[in-house]
Amino acid sequence: SSSVFVAMCDTTVNPKVRIQVRAANDTDARALSVATTVGITVGSYGQSNSAYRGQVSATSHNVSNAYTWSDDASSVWQGGTSTTTTRSQLWATQIAAASGIPCGVVITGVGSASIALLTTDFWPGTVAKLDLAQATGYISAWLWTQGESESNGAGVFDVTAYRSNFDVLLGLLRGAVAVNNSVPVGVCVIGKKADAHISGQAFGDANWSSARATLFGLTDKPGTYIATNLSDSVMVDELHYVADAYVENGRRAGLSMRKAL
């Protein structure tokens, strides 16, 4: 007897691999498995701009071997050959295109949430989603997209508190990965609308600068790196980006994550 671990999922849409086995003392009889995809699974966590990378259950990708995990559609991997790239998982397609194997993405996050809340109140919901997704593919890397809440805060941005919470977050993200507690974590540095304050708060601009500097500084944490920088991205308000900006930054994150992996 034996067991075989399949990295992602079964799919009739885009089968990739069939596993053939035989008994050691029988050179003729063989058993052939159902068609199965194998590949890389990566996760996104943060606030609204994390969720917007995939709109939770996005199915439009520009290559057929990129998949989004959806826990609101019977817990399945969703994929497709659509050329529609609006807010699709371009970072998954970059990894898939470069490696030649499928890539699945798990989109998590809570809008308007501070890092403190994302490491406490909202984390259990993410764990529940990961438990479903990791039944068919362990997370190989994380993308952290957050910092707007702190830039939008009424008080002065607390660098020490953010770094301390990020240490807790690293433990949570890596601890949630079933087979590897040292997966790389990419940091997405937030952008800012050029002609406006981050918020109406007195500390808006100063907090924005401090948050960006802090995010860049997180690379001194083991296994972290800058995945993408949103500073040149076109925004629709002080916090969110136009669709094409999500696509472009997804492409950048895909290239850097591919290198990290």
PDB file of all heavy atoms in Angstrom, residues 9-16 35-37 59 63-67 77-82:
ATOM      1  N   CYS A   9      -5.948  19.938  -6.663  1.00  0.00           N
ATOM      2  CA  CYS A   9      -7.333  19.499  -6.734  1.00  0.00           C
ATOM      3  C   CYS A   9      -7.572  18.587  -7.915  1.00  0.00           C
ATOM      4  O   CYS A   9      -6.773  18.503  -8.831  1.00  0.00           O
ATOM      5  CB  CYS A   9      -8.250  20.715  -6.867  1.00  0.00           C
ATOM      6  SG  CYS A   9      -7.975  21.637  -8.395  1.00  0.00           S
ATOM      7  N   ASP A  10      -8.712  17.914  -7.886  1.00  0.00           N
ATOM      8  CA  ASP A  10      -9.208  17.202  -9.050  1.00  0.00           C
ATOM      9  C   ASP A  10      -9.977  18.191  -9.917  1.00  0.00           C
ATOM     10  O   ASP A  10     -10.680  19.049  -9.403  1.00  0.00           O
ATOM     11  CB  ASP A  10     -10.162  16.082  -8.648  1.00  0.00           C
ATOM     12  CG  ASP A  10      -9.445  14.973  -7.925  1.00  0.00           C
ATOM     13  OD1 ASP A  10      -8.204  14.981  -7.893  1.00  0.00           O
ATOM     14  OD2 ASP A  10     -10.130  14.107  -7.381  1.00  0.00           O
ATOM     15  N   THR A  11      -9.854  18.083 -11.195  1.00  0.00           N
ATOM     16  CA  THR A  11     -10.626  18.942 -12.077  1.00  0.00           C
ATOM     17  C   THR A  11     -10.841  18.250 -13.404  1.00  0.00           C
ATOM     18  O   THR A  11      -9.935  17.630 -13.944  1.00  0.00           O
ATOM     19  CB  THR A  11      -9.948  20.300 -12.309  1.00  0.00           C
ATOM     20  OG1 THR A  11     -10.690  21.010 -13.305  1.00  0.00           O
ATOM     21  CG2 THR A  11      -8.518  20.158 -12.783  1.00  0.00           C
ATOM     22  N   THR A  12     -12.034  18.340 -13.918  1.00  0.00           N
ATOM     23  CA  THR A  12     -12.310  17.791 -15.242  1.00  0.00           C
ATOM     24  C   THR A  12     -12.087  18.848 -16.320  1.00  0.00           C
ATOM     25  O   THR A  12     -12.093  18.551 -17.506  1.00  0.00           O
ATOM     26  CB  THR A  12     -13.763  17.304 -15.326  1.00  0.00           C
ATOM     27  OG1 THR A  12     -14.635  18.404 -15.012  1.00  0.00           O
ATOM     28  CG2 THR A  12     -14.004  16.177 -14.342  1.00  0.00           C
ATOM     29  N   VAL A  13     -11.887  20.090 -15.885  1.00  0.00           N
ATOM     30  CA  VAL A  13     -11.693  21.187 -16.836  1.00  0.00           C
ATOM     31  C   VAL A  13     -10.272  21.209 -17.374  1.00  0.00           C
ATOM     32  O   VAL A  13     -10.035  21.405 -18.560  1.00  0.00           O
ATOM     33  CB  VAL A  13     -12.026  22.537 -16.175  1.00  0.00           C
ATOM     34  CG1 VAL A  13     -11.745  23.687 -17.138  1.00  0.00           C
ATOM     35  CG2 VAL A  13     -13.482  22.564 -15.732  1.00  0.00           C
ATOM     36  N   ASN A  14      -9.303  20.979 -16.499  1.00  0.00           N
ATOM     37  CA  ASN A  14      -7.911  21.118 -16.898  1.00  0.00           C
ATOM     38  C   ASN A  14      -7.061  20.027 -16.270  1.00  0.00           C
ATOM     39  O   ASN A  14      -6.210  20.295 -15.434  1.00  0.00           O
ATOM     40  CB  ASN A  14      -7.394  22.503 -16.473  1.00  0.00           C
ATOM     41  CG  ASN A  14      -6.044  22.810 -17.076  1.00  0.00           C
ATOM     42  OD1 ASN A  14      -5.687  22.299 -18.130  1.00  0.00           O
ATOM     43  ND2 ASN A  14      -5.282  23.638 -16.398  1.00  0.00           N
ATOM     44  N   PRO A  15      -7.282  18.755 -16.658  1.00  0.00           N
ATOM     45  CA  PRO A  15      -6.514  17.672 -16.037  1.00  0.00           C
ATOM     46  C   PRO A  15      -5.045  17.751 -16.421  1.00  0.00           C
ATOM     47  O   PRO A  15      -4.703  18.085 -17.544  1.00  0.00           O
ATOM     48  CB  PRO A  15      -7.168  16.412 -16.610  1.00  0.00           C
ATOM     49  CG  PRO A  15      -7.783  16.864 -17.890  1.00  0.00           C
ATOM     50  CD  PRO A  15      -8.227  18.272 -17.661  1.00  0.00           C
ATOM     51  N   LYS A  16      -4.179  17.431 -15.464  1.00  0.00           N
ATOM     52  CA  LYS A  16      -2.748  17.558 -15.694  1.00  0.00           C
ATOM     53  C   LYS A  16      -1.990  16.242 -15.534  1.00  0.00           C
ATOM     54  O   LYS A  16      -1.089  15.954 -16.287  1.00  0.00           O
ATOM     55  CB  LYS A  16      -2.163  18.591 -14.713  1.00  0.00           C
ATOM     56  CG  LYS A  16      -2.638  20.011 -14.953  1.00  0.00           C
ATOM     57  CD  LYS A  16      -2.116  20.546 -16.265  1.00  0.00           C
ATOM     58  CE  LYS A  16      -2.573  21.965 -16.502  1.00  0.00           C
ATOM     59  NZ  LYS A  16      -2.091  22.519 -17.770  1.00  0.00           N
ATOM     60  N   ALA A  35      -7.671  11.912 -13.423  1.00  0.00           N
ATOM     61  CA  ALA A  35      -6.850  13.067 -13.783  1.00  0.00           C
ATOM     62  C   ALA A  35      -6.829  14.063 -12.633  1.00  0.00           C
ATOM     63  O   ALA A  35      -7.856  14.363 -12.030  1.00  0.00           O
ATOM     64  CB  ALA A  35      -7.396  13.720 -15.039  1.00  0.00           C
ATOM     65  N   THR A  36      -5.642  14.575 -12.328  1.00  0.00           N
ATOM     66  CA  THR A  36      -5.459  15.439 -11.167  1.00  0.00           C
ATOM     67  C   THR A  36      -4.499  16.569 -11.506  1.00  0.00           C
ATOM     68  O   THR A  36      -3.533  16.366 -12.221  1.00  0.00           O
ATOM     69  CB  THR A  36      -4.873  14.626  -9.988  1.00  0.00           C
ATOM     70  OG1 THR A  36      -5.690  13.482  -9.769  1.00  0.00           O
ATOM     71  CG2 THR A  36      -4.817  15.455  -8.729  1.00  0.00           C
ATOM     72  N   THR A  37      -4.768  17.743 -10.982  1.00  0.00           N
ATOM     73  CA  THR A  37      -3.805  18.827 -11.152  1.00  0.00           C
ATOM     74  C   THR A  37      -2.868  18.863  -9.957  1.00  0.00           C
ATOM     75  O   THR A  37      -3.244  18.557  -8.833  1.00  0.00           O
ATOM     76  CB  THR A  37      -4.482  20.201 -11.268  1.00  0.00           C
ATOM     77  OG1 THR A  37      -5.208  20.461 -10.072  1.00  0.00           O
ATOM     78  CG2 THR A  37      -5.405  20.267 -12.452  1.00  0.00           C
ATOM     79  N   THR A  59     -13.292  33.972 -11.034  1.00  0.00           N
ATOM     80  CA  THR A  59     -13.021  32.822 -11.891  1.00  0.00           C
ATOM     81  C   THR A  59     -12.355  33.214 -13.202  1.00  0.00           C
ATOM     82  O   THR A  59     -12.065  32.364 -14.026  1.00  0.00           O
ATOM     83  CB  THR A  59     -14.322  32.075 -12.228  1.00  0.00           C
ATOM     84  OG1 THR A  59     -15.230  32.975 -12.886  1.00  0.00           O
ATOM     85  CG2 THR A  59     -14.981  31.550 -10.978  1.00  0.00           C
ATOM     86  N   VAL A  63      -4.855  32.622 -18.080  1.00  0.00           N
ATOM     87  CA  VAL A  63      -4.348  31.303 -18.462  1.00  0.00           C
ATOM     88  C   VAL A  63      -5.215  30.264 -17.777  1.00  0.00           C
ATOM     89  O   VAL A  63      -5.829  30.525 -16.757  1.00  0.00           O
ATOM     90  CB  VAL A  63      -2.863  31.089 -18.069  1.00  0.00           C
ATOM     91  CG1 VAL A  63      -1.968  32.055 -18.815  1.00  0.00           C
ATOM     92  CG2 VAL A  63      -2.676  31.227 -16.581  1.00  0.00           C
ATOM     93  N   SER A  64      -5.252  29.080 -18.332  1.00  0.00           N
ATOM     94  CA  SER A  64      -6.200  28.086 -17.840  1.00  0.00           C
ATOM     95  C   SER A  64      -5.730  27.365 -16.590  1.00  0.00           C
ATOM     96  O   SER A  64      -6.509  26.678 -15.955  1.00  0.00           O
ATOM     97  CB  SER A  64      -6.486  27.057 -18.937  1.00  0.00           C
ATOM     98  OG  SER A  64      -5.288  26.402 -19.311  1.00  0.00           O
ATOM     99  N   ASN A  65      -4.454  27.498 -16.225  1.00  0.00           N
ATOM    100  CA  ASN A  65      -3.985  26.748 -15.064  1.00  0.00           C
ATOM    101  C   ASN A  65      -3.754  27.645 -13.852  1.00  0.00           C
ATOM    102  O   ASN A  65      -2.860  27.432 -13.057  1.00  0.00           O
ATOM    103  CB  ASN A  65      -2.727  25.943 -15.394  1.00  0.00           C
ATOM    104  CG  ASN A  65      -1.583  26.809 -15.870  1.00  0.00           C
ATOM    105  OD1 ASN A  65      -1.761  27.981 -16.153  1.00  0.00           O
ATOM    106  ND2 ASN A  65      -0.403  26.219 -15.960  1.00  0.00           N
ATOM    107  N   ALA A  66      -4.580  28.680 -13.714  1.00  0.00           N
ATOM    108  CA  ALA A  66      -4.618  29.477 -12.492  1.00  0.00           C
ATOM    109  C   ALA A  66      -6.004  29.318 -11.871  1.00  0.00           C
ATOM    110  O   ALA A  66      -7.017  29.391 -12.564  1.00  0.00           O
ATOM    111  CB  ALA A  66      -4.348  30.944 -12.792  1.00  0.00           C
ATOM    112  N   TYR A  67      -6.031  29.080 -10.574  1.00  0.00           N
ATOM    113  CA  TYR A  67      -7.269  28.758  -9.893  1.00  0.00           C
ATOM    114  C   TYR A  67      -7.457  29.632  -8.661  1.00  0.00           C
ATOM    115  O   TYR A  67      -6.500  30.016  -8.011  1.00  0.00           O
ATOM    116  CB  TYR A  67      -7.285  27.290  -9.440  1.00  0.00           C
ATOM    117  CG  TYR A  67      -7.170  26.297 -10.571  1.00  0.00           C
ATOM    118  CD1 TYR A  67      -5.927  25.918 -11.068  1.00  0.00           C
ATOM    119  CD2 TYR A  67      -8.313  25.749 -11.151  1.00  0.00           C
ATOM    120  CE1 TYR A  67      -5.818  25.013 -12.111  1.00  0.00           C
ATOM    121  CE2 TYR A  67      -8.216  24.847 -12.186  1.00  0.00           C
ATOM    122  CZ  TYR A  67      -6.968  24.473 -12.668  1.00  0.00           C
ATOM    123  OH  TYR A  67      -6.872  23.591 -13.699  1.00  0.00           O
ATOM    124  N   TRP A  77     -12.001  24.653  -6.217  1.00  0.00           N
ATOM    125  CA  TRP A  77     -11.080  25.480  -6.993  1.00  0.00           C
ATOM    126  C   TRP A  77     -11.800  25.902  -8.259  1.00  0.00           C
ATOM    127  O   TRP A  77     -12.355  25.079  -8.969  1.00  0.00           O
ATOM    128  CB  TRP A  77      -9.817  24.694  -7.346  1.00  0.00           C
ATOM    129  CG  TRP A  77      -8.913  24.465  -6.194  1.00  0.00           C
ATOM    130  CD1 TRP A  77      -8.799  23.321  -5.456  1.00  0.00           C
ATOM    131  CD2 TRP A  77      -7.989  25.388  -5.641  1.00  0.00           C
ATOM    132  NE1 TRP A  77      -7.861  23.480  -4.471  1.00  0.00           N
ATOM    133  CE2 TRP A  77      -7.346  24.746  -4.562  1.00  0.00           C
ATOM    134  CE3 TRP A  77      -7.640  26.712  -5.941  1.00  0.00           C
ATOM    135  CZ2 TRP A  77      -6.373  25.372  -3.786  1.00  0.00           C
ATOM    136  CZ3 TRP A  77      -6.673  27.328  -5.172  1.00  0.00           C
ATOM    137  CH2 TRP A  77      -6.051  26.667  -4.112  1.00  0.00           C
ATOM    138  N   GLN A  78     -11.783  27.194  -8.535  1.00  0.00           N
ATOM    139  CA  GLN A  78     -12.425  27.712  -9.727  1.00  0.00           C
ATOM    140  C   GLN A  78     -11.359  28.202 -10.698  1.00  0.00           C
ATOM    141  O   GLN A  78     -10.430  28.904 -10.311  1.00  0.00           O
ATOM    142  CB  GLN A  78     -13.366  28.865  -9.383  1.00  0.00           C
ATOM    143  CG  GLN A  78     -14.500  28.443  -8.466  1.00  0.00           C
ATOM    144  CD  GLN A  78     -15.436  29.576  -8.156  1.00  0.00           C
ATOM    145  OE1 GLN A  78     -15.118  30.731  -8.357  1.00  0.00           O
ATOM    146  NE2 GLN A  78     -16.615  29.240  -7.655  1.00  0.00           N
ATOM    147  N   GLY A  79     -11.507  27.846 -11.946  1.00  0.00           N
ATOM    148  CA  GLY A  79     -10.554  28.280 -12.954  1.00  0.00           C
ATOM    149  C   GLY A  79     -11.258  28.564 -14.250  1.00  0.00           C
ATOM    150  O   GLY A  79     -12.474  28.505 -14.345  1.00  0.00           O
ATOM    151  N   GLY A  80     -10.497  28.899 -15.259  1.00  0.00           N
ATOM    152  CA  GLY A  80     -11.109  29.149 -16.551  1.00  0.00           C
ATOM    153  C   GLY A  80     -10.108  29.714 -17.525  1.00  0.00           C
ATOM    154  O   GLY A  80      -9.006  30.104 -17.143  1.00  0.00           O
ATOM    155  N   THR A  81     -10.507  29.790 -18.770  1.00  0.00           N
ATOM    156  CA  THR A  81      -9.614  30.275 -19.814  1.00  0.00           C
ATOM    157  C   THR A  81      -9.994  31.672 -20.272  1.00  0.00           C
ATOM    158  O   THR A  81      -9.553  32.137 -21.307  1.00  0.00           O
ATOM    159  CB  THR A  81      -9.639  29.330 -21.023  1.00  0.00           C
ATOM    160  OG1 THR A  81     -10.999  29.216 -21.491  1.00  0.00           O
ATOM    161  CG2 THR A  81      -9.116  27.967 -20.649  1.00  0.00           C
ATOM    162  N   SER A  82     -10.828  32.350 -19.508  1.00  0.00           N
ATOM    163  CA  SER A  82     -11.278  33.682 -19.887  1.00  0.00           C
ATOM    164  C   SER A  82     -10.090  34.632 -20.011  1.00  0.00           C
ATOM    165  O   SER A  82      -9.123  34.566 -19.260  1.00  0.00           O
ATOM    166  CB  SER A  82     -12.250  34.231 -18.834  1.00  0.00           C
ATOM    167  OG  SER A  82     -12.528  35.591 -19.072  1.00  0.00           O
TER     168      SER A  82
END
